[in-house]
Amino acid sequence: MYLIPLLVWGAVMSCCVPFGRQTEVTSPDGRSEVSLDVDDEGRIFYRVLRDGRELIRKSMLGLQTREYDLEKGFEILDGRTSTFDEEWQQPWGENKSVRNHYNELAVTLGKDDGGRLTLRFRLFDDGLGLRYEWELPTGEIRVERELTEFDLAADGESWAIPANFDTYELDYRHMPLGKVSDANTPFTFKTTDGIYGSIHEAALYDYPEMVLRRNERGVLAADLAPLPDGVKAYVPNRFTTPWRTIQLGDRAVDLINSALILNLNEPSKIEDTSWIRPHKYVGVWWGMHLGTQTWTMGPHHGATTENALRHIDFAAENNLGGVLFEGWNRGWENWGGSQSFDYMKPYPDFDVERIAEYAREKGIELWMHNETGGNIPEYESLMEQAMGTYAKWGVHTLKTGYAGGFKEGYLHHSQYGVRHYQRVVECAARHHLMIDAHEPIKDTGIRRTWPNMMTREGARGMEWNAWSEGNSAVYLSTLPFVRLLGGPMDYTPGIFDIDYSTANRIGRIPWNGDNSKCCVKTTLARQLANWVIIYSPLQMASDLIENYENHPAFRFFRDLDVDCDWSKALEGEIGEYIVVARRAKDRFFVGAGTDDRAREVKLKLDFLSPGVTYRALIYADDPASDDPESYLIREQKLSADDVLEIRMAAHGGCAVSFIPEK
């Protein structure tokens, strides 16, 4: 079990107020202010102002537990403020260099029996975090309810998925703030007075996830995923909760550019991170979702030795770093039944020793896939041995999956699930394995502390386009402003066969319902742009590799460097459009995408390095064609002084690589 220390102190840059009872603090830029108060019954409330206007009205804090009253009866014993400012470096990330600058308020409340509760607030220019820290004269605490409220003072609009403790693979609801009865986080909103914000959480390790539900006072408040016995969390009498966060901005893209979630996590616990390396990959995966291949052995088995060697050759020839294999190990025939897998024994037609040796010769890393089907007891009993075996094979990346209900009534996002996901991350770190988690617990920035937790799914990914109504361009234009505020996503972008004509010629098995009318809901140019827009340090070219061979547009992915040094969302509105720029070494990459409307954007290129001329390769929608697979590639010489006109078709996009001229 991973416990965050009760008090985490950084380099305090200004002295604490001695023996004070300070109950207010402002952000470093002075625009946000938080105040805390206790009423006559000892109940705790907080309030947030933004530019002098009320953002969060007087809202309740506290918890209900079986052993100790953390709701009322408190008096303020101490209140202290401090300031912290540092620049820290990530081994990988959207931005390698991150500034962590906040003003902190720590208010300690107490009772006559010696119980102590500290409310810690950290205010950044881009938002705030608050958490509970307690030390109580009892044994184990059973948390039954968290009372944290977010009473937004102004109405407005919101974007979020519904509250659900077992899946995040749900479509977004765009709703008036006042109409929201429940929502998962990140919960993104825009108030009528023009404030953009998002409610989420940070540093989730040993506690159930938080969703929002409208409570008996008519206020959006925290609700926690329960365990089968109804208890929300079993925790010790000395404990620190995750942070409850509110990111703030003047523009929608300010939320994307915020590092608040990362900054509320601790520094890395992995001293040597040299083995943690971002890279691009392909894999045996999409064919199973399309129905051209199967996970199980048979005439259509995808993960065969022959197919593996073919994918390794393709990766080596196209500047890619890894190859993923799903369906390589025995047990897929139990799918939907016992959900029992053998994590070390390959199917007979997958010669893992030969494949591993061939990959080493070609300089390609193997990815192994562990689907658990939700059978957590079995996986935890075998994962240490399995990961040790993978390390001997030369594997450095592990994709995990949890597509199935957990046994004994446990929920994916409960304390039981959160603890399990963390055990996997720490076990993987011991064996120098990077993790790509599907059906995960949501991202709350733990990649700062455990940088081998590279990427995760946690939303409707590409596979939904293979066997359902699919993901719309509006969905894709919402994703960066909601799900991606938590952290990287393995969306698995990059389908070139938009209408599946290649797959249809091969022949498809309708394994998950009628797939005859399914297709990708964007243009090919938008598929290219998604490699930039949807950030992941492990980025997949997800289509069948025959659709990439000799395709001129695949050059963009070959040129793309996913080991970013700097990133910035430049323009966009939630659900409408998005433009993102990233720099990796001396190259820049831009991805732009729109909703179901055609759009033009005049993009200032002042983010490019000054004084450098770049050869820009621009991959754009073909304005003369209605075919979503039709695109144009043009080349221009551009510099930081120029403006680039980006034209996107409905459901379309544009991708640009900027390569400096030598």
Side-chain angles (χ1 to χ4, degrees), residues 129-141:
L130 70 95
R131 74 181 183 193
Y132 301 88
E133 306 165 1
W134 63 73
E135 188 173 357
L136 308 174
T138 61
E140 185 179 61
I141 298 295

Side-chain angles (χ1 to χ4, degrees), residues 109-135:
L109 304 106
K111 294 190 176 187
D112 293 340
D113 60 8
R116 297 291 182 267
L117 173 64
T118 297
L119 272 299
R120 190 173 303 277
F121 297 87
R122 287 184 183 168
L123 266 69
F124 304 78
D125 290 347
D126 53 350
L128 63 108
L130 70 95
R131 74 181 183 193
Y132 301 88
E133 306 165 1
W134 63 73
E135 188 173 357

Side-chain angles (χ1 to χ4, degrees), residues 251 566 568-571 581 583 588 590 602-612 614 638-644 658:
R251 302 193 303 154
W566 169 90
K568 190 175 184 180
L570 302 173
E571 294 188 30
R583 186 190 77 235
F588 287 82
V590 165
K602 291 186 177 180
L603 185 66
K604 293 182 179 179
L605 301 181
D606 51 6
F607 57 86
L608 296 173
S609 299
V612 179
Y614 292 87
L638 295 169
S639 72
D641 298 324
D642 293 317
V643 174
L644 176 64
F658 295 87

Side-chain angles (χ1 to χ4, degrees), residues 12-29:
V12 177
M13 307 304 289
S14 66
C15 295
C16 297
V17 179
F19 309 106
R21 292 194 179 185
Q22 198 151 340
T23 58
E24 296 180 355
V25 66
T26 59
S27 57
D29 62 4

Side-chain angles (χ1 to χ4, degrees), residues 278-282 315-316 318-323 363-367 557:
H279 63 261
K280 299 173 288 187
Y281 71 104
V282 291
N318 287 278
N319 190 32
L320 311 183
V323 178
I364 299 299
E365 293 191 6
L366 293 186
W367 286 46
F557 194 65

Side-chain angles (χ1 to χ4, degrees), residues 58-350:
K58 183 178 178 181
S59 295
M60 187 179 296
L61 297 171
L63 300 103
Q64 293 176 348
T65 80
R66 292 186 186 178
E67 289 73 23
Y68 196 87
D69 187 356
L70 288 168
E71 178 183 359
K72 58 185 182 301
F74 286 103
E75 63 173 332
I76 296 174
L77 302 180
D78 191 28
R80 297 171 183 247
T81 58
S82 60
T83 296
F84 185 88
D85 195 358
E86 69 170 354
E87 195 92 14
W88 60 278
Q89 302 296 313
Q90 299 189 80
W92 60 268
E94 300 93 325
N95 295 283
K96 291 284 180 63
S97 182
V98 179
R99 188 182 184 189
N100 184 16
H101 185 200
Y102 60 80
N103 292 337
E104 180 174 284
L105 169 68
V107 179
T108 300
L109 304 106
K111 294 190 176 187
D112 293 340
D113 60 8
R116 297 291 182 267
L117 173 64
T118 297
L119 272 299
R120 190 173 303 277
F121 297 87
R122 287 184 183 168
L123 266 69
F124 304 78
D125 290 347
D126 53 350
L128 63 108
L130 70 95
R131 74 181 183 193
Y132 301 88
E133 306 165 1
W134 63 73
E135 188 173 357
L136 308 174
T138 61
E140 185 179 61
I141 298 295
R142 289 173 289 182
V143 176
E144 294 187 314
R145 187 183 181 193
E146 183 175 328
L147 303 174
T148 308
E149 293 181 340
F150 304 90
D151 189 1
L152 290 161
D155 203 355
E157 50 190 327
S158 69
W159 297 262
I161 61 172
N164 190 298
F165 293 133
D166 252 337
T167 183
Y168 304 116
E169 297 187 30
L170 304 166
D171 206 355
Y172 291 113
R173 298 185 303 192
H174 179 195
M175 300 175 64
L177 273 171
K179 299 291 185 181
V180 177
S181 60
D182 67 273
N184 218 310
T185 71
F187 173 74
T188 300
F189 61 87
K190 179 186 179 183
T191 65
T192 51
D193 45 6
I195 298 173
Y196 290 88
S198 187
I199 298 171
H200 190 40
E201 54 185 318
L204 176 60
Y205 284 102
D206 187 28
Y207 206 65
E209 80 159 357
M210 176 189 77
V211 302
L212 302 177
R213 295 191 198 276
R214 204 164 290 278
N215 65 14
E216 60 275 7
R217 295 191 338 118
V219 175
L220 286 175
D223 186 27
L224 307 176
L227 296 164
D229 62 2
V231 173
K232 302 299 177 69
Y234 288 85
V235 297
N237 64 339
R238 181 181 171 91
F239 187 74
T240 297
T241 69
W243 294 92
R244 280 64 188 96
T245 66
I246 308 174
Q247 291 167 274
L248 297 172
D250 298 322
R251 302 193 303 154
V253 293
D254 293 341
L255 302 177
I256 299 173
N257 296 327
S258 167
L260 183 146
I261 301 297
L262 277 178
N263 280 328
L264 288 170
N265 281 267
E266 293 183 64
S268 176
K269 292 187 176 294
I270 301 174
E271 292 185 9
D272 177 15
T273 59
S274 61
W275 54 274
I276 301 173
R277 298 184 296 273
H279 63 261
K280 299 173 288 187
Y281 71 104
V282 291
V284 179
W285 171 79
W286 183 235
M288 280 83 95
H289 287 283
L290 285 176
T292 62
Q293 298 171 333
T294 61
W295 283 277
T296 54
M297 262 193 70
H300 302 290
H301 191 206
T304 65
T305 302
E306 180 184 5
N307 206 20
L309 300 182
R310 187 168 72 95
H311 278 73
I312 291 168
D313 284 339
F314 179 85
E317 292 164 3
N318 287 278
N319 190 32
L320 311 183
V323 178
L324 160 72
F325 302 105
E326 289 201 12
W328 68 274
N329 60 317
R330 301 189 189 205
W332 285 92
E333 59 276 2
N334 302 319
W335 184 253
S338 65
Q339 302 287 64
S340 180
F341 293 86
D342 191 320
Y343 299 105
M344 288 161 284
K345 195 167 187 178
Y347 281 119
D349 61 350
F350 189 84

